[in-house]
Amino acid sequence: MNKKLLVKKAIESKDNAYVPYSNFHVGAAVMTEKGNIYTGCNIESAAYTPTICAERTAIFKAVSEGEKNIIAIAITGDSEYTYPCGVCRQVIREFGRNAKIYIVKSEKEYREYTIDDLLPHSFGPEDLTKGKRKEE
Ligand code: THU
């Protein structure tokens, strides 16, 4: 897995952020099981709520191309270390159960996590099959 390239791609993607309302730029890059990289940036809207985060842009690009397994994701934003929001953590949980998560300050400075670090005791697809109630 080319970690260096993934980090570089996330940093580059930050420049594509469309953020006229927050002026807060975020870039992300995911590596799939097949070894492909998909990038993403945050994209805002004048109606505010349609805004999508960089992480979900990148993950949904991969999934919509048929790649549902993310093995790594790099994230970088305008704060020193920009961590994924709660919604994005849930989406990483869905498609990157064992992914390495790099929170990137620069090409040389980043922190590494798993989704269990960032979203402990998470709810996931398996929980849906554990319902106690019988079908009515
Ligand atoms: N944002 C992301 O892209 N990723 C995150 O994990 C945190 C928040 C974006 C959404 C919005 O465009 C801006 O940052 C400010 O919240």
Side-chain angles (χ1 to χ4, degrees):
M1 206 263 298
N2 195 336
K3 188 177 14 173
K4 228 178 149 186
L5 181 62
L6 195 70
V7 166
K8 195 168 174 273
K9 290 272 186 193
I11 293 170
E12 282 171 10
S13 299
K14 203 168 88 151
D15 289 339
N16 292 331
Y18 175 74
V19 289
Y21 309 105
S22 73
N23 193 34
F24 190 84
H25 305 70
V26 186
V30 299
M31 170 79 70
T32 66
E33 203 174 41
K34 280 189 189 164
N36 294 321
I37 291 179
Y38 293 86
T39 60
C41 61
N42 52 334
I43 305 168
E44 300 181 346
S45 154
Y48 292 3
T49 52
T51 292
I52 187 160
C53 294
E55 299 89 321
R56 274 176 293 144
T57 303
I59 293 170
F60 292 161
K61 279 169 71 177
V63 174
S64 67
E65 292 299 321
E67 300 208 51
K68 296 185 190 70
N69 290 320
I70 303 306
I71 61 164
I73 178 167
I75 304 161
T76 189
D78 282 344
S79 51
E80 197 176 38
Y81 288 98
T82 302
Y83 285 81
C85 77
V87 172
C88 288
R89 290 178 197 213
Q90 190 67 45
V91 174
I92 296 169
R93 166 69 171 81
E94 187 79 26
F95 298 107
R97 187 69 188 96
N98 300 305
K100 290 180 188 309
I101 303 170
Y102 302 110
I103 307 298
V104 175
K105 180 179 172 185
S106 69
E107 287 203 36
K108 287 190 180 134
E109 293 170 285
Y110 48 80
R111 298 168 177 168
E112 183 180 331
Y113 301 91
T114 65
I115 197 58
D116 285 332
D117 296 325
L118 301 184
L119 192 69
H121 308 291
S122 63
F123 184 86
E126 316 79 49
D127 290 290
L128 292 172
T129 62
K130 290 180 188 153
K132 285 202 177 109
R133 229 183 253 214
K134 292 225 169 73
E135 247 178 63
E136 282 162 29

